[in-house]
Amino acid sequence: MQVGAVAGRRNASPLRSAAEFLIANPRLETRLSYRKQKEAALSNSEFSHVFISEFFPLSLTRRRTAAESPIAVQPVRLQSGSRAVAAPETVCDNDPLTEVPLTGNEVRKTFLKFFEERGHRVVRSSSLVPTNDPTLLFTNAGMNQFKDVFLGLEQRDYNKATTCQKCVRAGGKHNDLENVGFTNRHHTFFEMLGNFSFGDYFKEQAIKYAWELVTAPEWFNIPLEKLYFTVFGGAEIAPRKKLGTDKDAAALWVKVGAPKDRVIAVPGLKENFWAMGDVGPCGPCSEIFYDMGPAASDQGHTDCKFGCECGRYVEIWNLVFMQFNRDANGTLNPLPKPSVDTGAGLERLASALLNLGDPYEWSNYDTDLFRPLMEEAAQLTGLDISDGDEEVSLRIIADHSRAATFLISDGVHPSNEGRGYVLRKIVNRALLNAGKPEASLLSVLPGMVKAVAEHMKDPYPELIEAVQPISAVLRTETERFIRTMKISLGKLSEEIGELQKTEEEWRKSQTGFPVRRVHLPGIVAFKLYDTYGLQRDVLEEASRLRGVEVDWTAFDQALEEQRQRGRASWKGAHKDAANPVYSKLAQTFKTEPDFYFGTSTQDCRIESIVTKAGAVNEIPKGTEAEIVLDRTTIYAESGGQVADTGGFFDKSGALEVAEVRGAYYPVTGLIAHRIIAKEDLRVGDRVSTIADPIRRARDMRNHTATHLMHAALRNILGTHVKQAGSLVAPDHLRFDFSHFAAVDPSEIAEIEQQVNEEILKDLEMRTDIMNIDDALASGALAFFGDKYPEANVRVVTIPDAASPRGFYSKELCGGTHVARLGEIGVFKIVGEQSTAAGVRRIEAISGDRALAEYQRALTTLRSVAGLLNAGEDEVAAAVERQLDATKQLEKQVETLKRKAAGSQADDLLEQVREVKGVKVLAAEVKGFDRESLRQLVDSLRQKLGSGVVVLATADDGKVALITGVTKDLIPKLHAGKIVQELAKMVGGSGGGRPDLAEAGGKDTFAINSTIGRVHAILDRLL
Ligand SMILES: [Zn+2]
Ligand SMILES: [Zn+2]
């Protein structure tokens, strides 16, 4: 395949001057400002070249194949040592940029093709999740999948291979996450090209291959003046064991054609020596460096030499020669079959080849592996790709979207630990850079997944089908982000706003200028972390985006102090004042708890009987007392779990000698049973203890369910969730925990879902006894409110083989638990509320109680559906219809009432009499409530035009009385005064405005006579 000889991009642009370029493409201006730092070091003639390279943005740049090319064009090579830039006048007529870069896909294909043609098996990339390698979080190099082959543990039917390996470096030892976006070469996800020899060829052939692929005109065709070759320069391999310079490699490079002065021996272990571990295969490396040219220097160096770390010299390929096997003593034994492992980062190689055609493109992010994704991200977020800061965000989104897409496609799901946690961090960081936590954010990552899949479908066709499921995962994760970040980021903004105000004022007073640089005190940051669940890395990224510096030293100190406080409160036994009888007994004696192993046991000795009178030797039948046994199966209330109930029985188990109503620890180690004696009892008697097994089974289900829910809360809401209180009873469980917001219905559903999924796994619970330090070190959660002994604490574990921690939940706990999770049956949350500021309470049920609840709810639903004559799914709609209908009817009733009042008004008008020339209507009416009576008075007043209306009615056993006076009569009459007089007669009181007044009364029998008195009263008042 001939790919190096490139068809030229003949672009006969008529534009000639820099100014013309600028006018033709205004975007350049802003993009230029982003590069101003680098350009500052360049001269004017170089400056005009920037316009030219900008004028052909990469997305337009496509290599034409020889077949497409109208004329075969010899590649034009940059001259060694020259500025490699044509004068502006000659640019357009004789374009030197005929070297159109290979696309990322083409670089990948070319590399694999080269080695395939040379007898290598093209092996698919292995998963990002390493199989059977617990030492590795993610696949991070091409050789990972061949580790056992190199170690001689596995045979393959080939001994030469080439791959393009998906890699992730984030979390763990190789953590590049925080650098991504700010540098040209850091990525979370990247592809590593490589060729491998398993005891086949060695140094000489490996160097020959690399040389040919990199320099041959028909392959990558990189000119010699752009290349440097390093070899191992000697170092102490193990204490007092020195290995000399790799002269073989140096000679081999010269032999294939490298100029002597370009082959450089680098001493030390850091750069040019590779080892699989402290013991095992190892050997020297040789690296190929590419010179990006002075424009790529981060520090504006114009003529620095090779070895400078300013970004100009970039390693593009590392050849590892596995030559030795290092034993435990550090001795290097030559491997019988030396091997080769090489790695060339695809993104770096692509950017070197891009730079070859255009010295002003030097970043991996300038290549077509990223640029189209950044443009897509700009579309989705509205960020401006030509703005320096916003471009960083777009780089981050592009990079992280690639990582998230490939990680989820390889089966990693966001979670709070291990790989899932790294994925969550990556997703969070992408979202933080995509904008504010608002609904529009929901479409960003799914949109990016589509773009990544579209862009990478050639080498990874499996991505296209995975777009839907991956988007669904990211959508859920975005929803989660929006939910928790809205509040916690809001708090952060609040804090920053406050600080900005004060700091700004202070600076202004000092300097006369407002400075918007803010330092967030560590204690404030810690509060956001501890109370609002803002994870440290999120806090870091969010602060950066807001131009805030966090005092991490103080933060770490606050974190450590909290740990110390926690440690202190976990240690040390109870020191409550106890009944002296028990304190004395506890000095020599402890009750042995048998309740972890069952609910009944025999032959327990009565050690002590305590009544109101104190310790006694015996009690008669019927006495209430507290009894201490040498051992018992009755669980004593502790750790939130209520006590068992049950009984003491005789040896045969048939005769109940005492009813046990509960049990507790009066002092540590001693269990007192609250009993009512059914027979005479004395110290030294032997009894059997039986705890109510049904009640106990319910307690155990609820207790284990509490542990499951606690873990689910931390997984779903965040690890800031801390237990603040807990009750485990037979009929329900109650769990209080710190959280800053209400747990919304979708979160509740997610918690229920997760807990029930764990129940379905039906795993066996594990209990270990260990000392408290080991327990806490193993990751067990402890509840601050509880005191634990130093030694022999119980650690209850719900295992999870798939988790890197090895467990789903691990808690210090003295309670009783189910043996297998399946015994819980089903788990249901029934209530969520706030109990104090920042403390939420969840109530839940499990097992038979939950089943009963589901049955009850379904029965109710069915009967309601039956009443509504609707299907169960249509109940809500049917009820809504009914409510609508009721409203309609109410309106109709209102109208009818008004009409009825109107017609009754006409009848009543016939009862009008005149008193001293004033029309007076006084009547008792029936079937009116107060409101409609008021309306009736009103309409009668209007109909009278001028006059007084007094109406009374008996409403619900009480008198309602209303008086209306038309406006013209107000100077003479006051409705309130009239009503006051009348009210007395019905045994009540009242009053009101001059035109309208009301009264109530108790004496409904007096209505008639009161109405009869109205005329006389008015006669007096007028
Ligand atoms: Zn430099
Ligand atoms: Zn517990």
Side-chain angles (χ1 to χ4, degrees):
M1 191 175 79
Q2 186 104 346
V3 292
V6 183
R9 175 185 59 209
R10 294 257 129 233
N11 206 316
S13 167
L15 301 175
R16 288 187 177 257
S17 72
E20 279 174 293
F21 280 114
L22 199 55
I23 291 160
N25 194 349
R27 188 177 74 88
L28 297 183
E29 203 165 14
T30 40
R31 182 110 155 89
L32 280 172
S33 72
Y34 163 56
R35 302 187 153 196
K36 61 181 180 289
Q37 197 192 342
K38 278 153 195 164
E39 282 150 11
L42 304 173
S43 71
N44 277 341
S45 66
E46 285 165 328
F47 209 73
S48 53
H49 181 87
V50 176
F51 297 133
I52 296 155
S53 66
E54 288 295 341
F55 191 67
F56 305 112
L58 187 66
S59 51
L60 301 177
T61 312
R62 278 289 307 148
R63 170 193 293 271
R64 268 188 275 173
T65 64
E68 289 169 340
S69 172
I71 359 155
V73 180
Q74 279 303 104
V76 177
R77 278 299 172 202
L78 307 170
Q79 292 305 301
S80 168
S82 80
R83 283 272 186 220
V85 178
E89 310 81 66
T90 64
V91 165
C92 304
D93 296 333
N94 185 15
D95 188 351
L97 304 176
T98 41
E99 186 69 13
V100 181
L102 292 171
T103 64
N105 281 340
E106 285 162 342
V107 174
R108 190 192 296 108
K109 250 188 239 164
T110 304
F111 189 99
L112 297 177
K113 180 89 187 158
F114 176 89
F115 284 102
E116 190 178 24
E117 284 179 3
R118 282 152 187 77
H120 290 64
R121 175 77 58 87
V122 179
V123 178
R124 280 180 57 88
S125 169
S126 64
S127 166
L128 284 168
V129 179
T131 37
N132 304 327
D133 191 348
T135 63
L136 211 52
L137 195 58
F138 296 113
T139 300
N140 63 7
M143 65 81 62
N144 290 160
Q145 67 167 317
F146 301 119
K147 195 170 165 185
D148 285 351
V149 185
F150 282 122
L151 288 170
L153 301 171
E154 188 192 334
Q155 298 294 320
R156 302 255 170 121
D157 64 345
Y158 49 83
N159 50 20
K160 286 179 283 187
T162 182
T163 62
C164 177
Q165 176 66 49
K166 300 180 277 188
C167 297
V168 163
R169 278 186 197 170
K173 204 166 69 177
H174 300 286
N175 194 350
D176 292 346
L177 188 58
E178 284 102 60
N179 290 324
V180 172
F182 298 98
T183 68
N184 292 317
R185 322 243 172 261
H186 281 109
H187 303 295
T188 50
F189 171 87
F190 59 95
E191 292 171 274
M192 188 68 96
L193 298 161
N195 58 296
F196 307 90
S197 156
F198 312 113
D200 189 82
Y201 60 84
F202 193 50
K203 231 176 261 188
E204 178 165 15
Q205 192 57 49
I207 287 176
K208 270 188 189 164
Y209 284 149
W211 176 264
E212 186 186 0
L213 179 55
V214 169
T215 64
E218 65 271 31
W219 296 99
F220 290 143
N221 198 13
I222 301 177
L224 279 186
E225 58 269 23
K226 300 296 274 178
L227 296 170
Y228 292 85
F229 308 87
T230 64
V231 300
F232 177 63
E236 210 172 65
I237 296 299
R240 288 191 302 279
K241 292 196 173 133
K242 236 181 117 69
L243 183 68
T245 299
D246 188 358
K247 288 183 186 144
D248 297 351
L252 286 166
W253 281 119
V254 175
K255 191 176 159 195
V256 291
K260 261 193 176 145
D261 62 340
R262 292 294 178 115
V263 180
I264 294 140
V266 182
L269 282 178
K270 218 177 116 229
E271 301 296 334
N272 284 61
F273 195 83
W274 176 90
M276 201 180 273
D278 292 339
V279 173
C282 60
C285 316
S286 186
E287 293 177 330
I288 303 176
F289 280 79
Y290 175 87
D291 176 4
M292 288 276 176
S297 170
D298 286 339
Q299 289 151 36
H301 297 167
T302 48
D303 60 351
C304 58
K305 298 283 171 288
F306 176 73
C308 183
E309 292 185 351
C310 64
R312 172 172 169 176
Y313 303 97
V314 176
E315 180 220 316
I316 53 169
W317 201 346
N318 183 10
L319 316 181
V320 175
F321 310 122
M322 286 186 209
Q323 200 165 347
F324 308 106
N325 188 28
R326 182 160 50 184
D327 64 23
N329 300 323
T331 309
L332 299 182
N333 305 302
L335 282 171
K337 281 185 175 179
S339 294
V340 171
D341 152 28
T342 82
L346 170 65
E347 295 77 8
R348 287 162 171 253
L349 205 49
S351 102
L353 292 169
L354 173 66
N355 174 270
L356 208 53
D358 179 351
Y360 293 89
E361 301 284 8
W362 57 77
S363 168
N364 292 3
Y365 290 98
D366 289 336
T367 69
D368 79 321
L369 290 165
F370 288 95
R371 202 73 195 170
L373 294 179
M374 288 161 64
E375 278 160 8
E376 180 67 24
Q379 286 285 320
L380 289 164
T381 58
L383 291 171
D384 182 358
I385 201 164
S386 62
D387 174 289
D389 284 343
E390 294 187 7
E391 194 194 335
V392 169
S393 286
L394 292 170
R395 285 172 166 206
I396 291 171
I397 297 167
D399 175 276
H400 290 12
S401 300
R402 280 166 34 115
T405 303
F406 279 96
L407 282 172
I408 298 170
S409 144
D410 277 351
V412 181
H413 273 248
S415 76
N416 275 344
E417 52 160 346
R419 299 185 178 107
Y421 182 56
V422 176
L423 172 59
R424 176 162 284 170
K425 282 194 343 185
I426 289 172
V427 171
N428 280 353
R429 190 163 181 259
L431 290 169
L432 277 168
N433 277 280
K436 290 190 178 129
E438 279 157 10
S440 60
L441 204 56
L442 278 175
S443 58
V444 173
L445 291 182
M448 289 305 293
V449 171
K450 218 171 140 205
V452 170
E454 195 53 44
H455 200 60
M456 306 281 270
K457 65 172 185 245
D458 226 13
Y460 305 102
E462 70 273 16
L463 286 183
I464 288 295
E465 275 189 17
V467 165
Q468 279 310 319
I470 296 172
S471 299
V473 170
L474 288 172
R475 214 185 145 82
T476 309
E477 194 59 12
T478 307
E479 279 167 358
R480 188 196 122 87
F481 175 88
I482 292 173
R483 245 175 5 225
T484 53
M485 290 301 145
K486 246 189 187 163
I487 295 170
S488 51
L489 286 181
K491 275 280 159 199
L492 176 67
S493 298
E494 246 172 58
E495 297 283 0
I496 291 173
E498 280 300 309
L499 288 166
Q500 242 160 10
K501 243 183 4 207
T502 48
E503 194 138 340
E504 210 170 327
E505 275 161 22
W506 183 79
R507 300 253 176 203
K508 212 171 169 181
S509 71
Q510 300 289 308
T511 62
F513 301 104
V515 178
R516 298 190 67 83
R517 192 109 201 102
V518 166
H519 296 265
L520 192 67
I523 193 77
V524 177
F526 180 73
K527 191 186 89 185
L528 291 166
Y529 162 87
D530 192 48
T531 314
Y532 294 97
L534 210 52
Q535 276 150 5
R536 190 188 171 127
D537 45 308
V538 173
L539 193 56
E540 220 162 316
E541 189 70 15
S543 307
R544 181 187 72 75
L545 286 166
R546 289 164 171 76
V548 172
E549 266 173 43
V550 179
D551 182 352
W552 290 113
T553 317
F555 176 93
D556 288 334
Q557 206 180 324
L559 189 65
E560 187 49 38
E561 275 165 19
Q562 192 207 41
R563 279 201 192 114
Q564 293 298 339
R565 272 200 307 278
R567 279 293 282 112
S569 83
W570 289 326
K571 281 194 171 187
H574 263 299
K575 286 183 182 65
D576 291 353
N579 185 329
V581 175
Y582 290 123
S583 303
K584 198 168 163 232
L585 188 59
Q587 283 168 10
T588 56
F589 177 81
K590 266 184 176 10
T591 309
E592 197 181 313
D594 267 2
F595 39 75
Y596 295 118
F597 312 104
T599 50
S600 67
T601 190
Q602 292 181 336
D603 204 24
C604 307
R605 183 175 185 272
I606 295 182
E607 296 289 337
S608 172
I609 301 174
V610 178
T611 64
K612 277 177 199 150
V616 295
N617 266 330
E618 55 188 320
I619 46 170
K621 184 173 171 176
T623 314
E624 276 188 44
E626 293 183 0
I627 287 185
V628 176
L629 302 176
D630 60 346
R631 61 197 175 85
T632 183
T633 53
I634 306 283
Y635 182 83
E637 180 182 342
S638 72
Q641 183 178 334
V642 300
D644 283 340
T645 57
F648 294 163
F649 290 79
D650 71 347
K651 214 174 195 172
S652 72
L655 178 71
E656 191 183 34
V657 297
E659 181 194 337
V660 178
R661 296 187 161 175
Y664 73 107
Y665 291 92
V667 288
T668 308
L670 216 57
I671 293 172
H673 301 79
R674 293 194 181 93
I675 61 112
I676 295 172
K678 301 275 175 176
E679 299 293 334
D680 297 349
L681 293 171
R682 61 197 71 71
V683 172
D685 280 358
R686 301 264 164 185
V687 296
S688 304
T689 62
I690 300 179
D692 177 348
I694 294 171
R695 178 183 161 100
R696 168 73 78 77
R698 288 177 174 149
D699 286 344
M700 296 200 300
R701 284 196 286 262
N702 280 337
H703 201 144
T704 308
T706 302
H707 285 214
L708 284 170
M709 185 176 76
H710 189 186
L713 284 168
R714 290 170 64 87
N715 288 339
I716 289 158
L717 302 179
T719 46
H720 63 283
V721 165
K722 290 176 198 75
Q723 179 178 342
S726 161
L727 172 74
V728 175
D731 59 338
H732 77 299
L733 65 94
R734 198 177 70 202
F735 190 74
D736 295 352
F737 58 100
S738 55
H739 184 52
F740 47 82
V743 187
D744 70 31
S746 70
E747 287 168 325
I748 296 270
E750 214 179 326
I751 293 161
E752 283 180 352
Q753 176 87 11
Q754 198 174 99
V755 169
N756 283 303
E757 272 168 17
E758 290 302 312
I759 292 171
L760 285 178
K761 287 183 192 162
D762 191 29
L763 294 177
E764 203 172 331
M765 304 274 295
R766 220 182 62 213
T767 305
D768 300 295
I769 312 290
M770 52 177 92
N771 75 48
I772 189 163
D773 290 316
D774 291 345
L776 294 175
S778 76
L781 295 176
F783 173 40
F784 274 64
D786 276 355
K787 304 280 181 187
Y788 300 95
E790 292 278 328
N792 299 335
V793 294
R794 296 178 71 85
V795 175
V796 176
T797 305
I798 298 169
D800 177 5
S803 150
R805 299 187 304 183
F807 58 83
Y808 177 77
S809 150
K810 191 180 238 188
E811 290 193 36
L812 263 63
C813 176
T816 58
H817 288 270
V818 298
R820 304 188 73 95
L821 293 177
E823 292 167 35
I824 298 169
V826 64
F827 167 84
K828 176 94 189 83
I829 292 174
V830 290
E832 193 277 341
Q833 56 173 315
S834 160
T835 55
V839 179
R840 309 298 305 181
R841 166 170 293 177
I842 284 185
E843 285 179 280
I845 52 180
S846 72
D848 53 349
R849 178 70 211 286
L851 177 65
E853 179 65 20
Y854 278 115
Q855 285 171 329
R856 191 193 60 75
L858 256 181
T859 309
T860 308
L861 178 65
R862 277 194 191 130
S863 68
V864 173
L867 289 172
L868 290 164
N869 202 15
E872 281 160 33
D873 294 337
E874 297 148 13
V875 164
V879 169
E880 220 164 286
R881 278 198 302 277
Q882 288 289 338
L883 288 173
D884 277 350
T886 309
K887 250 182 227 156
Q888 287 299 323
L889 288 174
E890 275 170 359
K891 257 190 210 158
Q892 285 176 21
V893 168
E894 247 344 274
T895 319
L896 288 173
K897 263 193 193 165
R898 236 175 281 129
K899 272 191 192 151
S903 67
Q904 203 166 355
D906 291 339
D907 294 344
L908 286 168
L909 282 175
E910 286 166 20
Q911 299 178 34
V912 171
R913 276 167 53 190
E914 287 205 2
V915 178
K916 293 190 177 158
V918 172
K919 284 185 227 164
V920 176
L921 170 57
E924 178 185 4
V925 292
K926 290 210 160 80
F928 283 80
D929 59 16
R930 207 170 255 280
E931 176 54 37
S932 49
L933 192 65
R934 214 175 284 135
Q935 283 175 12
L936 183 57
V937 170
D938 215 41
S939 82
L940 284 169
R941 248 191 334 187
Q942 277 172 27
K943 285 188 174 164
L944 280 180
S946 169
V948 178
V949 181
V950 178
L951 294 183
T953 190
D955 177 27
D956 204 12
K958 282 179 210 141
V959 182
L961 212 153
I962 301 182
T963 300
V965 174
T966 53
K967 287 237 162 68
D968 58 307
L969 296 174
I970 286 173
K972 288 192 260 180
L973 288 169
H974 192 291
K977 283 182 185 140
I978 300 169
V979 122
Q980 265 170 26
E981 283 204 34
L982 296 172
K984 279 176 213 150
M985 290 183 255
V986 292
S989 63
R993 305 195 310 258
D995 61 329
L996 192 74
E998 298 182 23
K1002 283 170 238 151
D1003 191 357
T1004 50
F1005 297 103
I1007 291 178
N1008 205 355
S1009 62
T1010 306
I1011 290 297
R1013 298 271 301 140
V1014 169
H1015 296 96
I1017 291 169
L1018 283 172
D1019 189 56
R1020 175 157 54 76
L1021 289 174
L1022 279 164

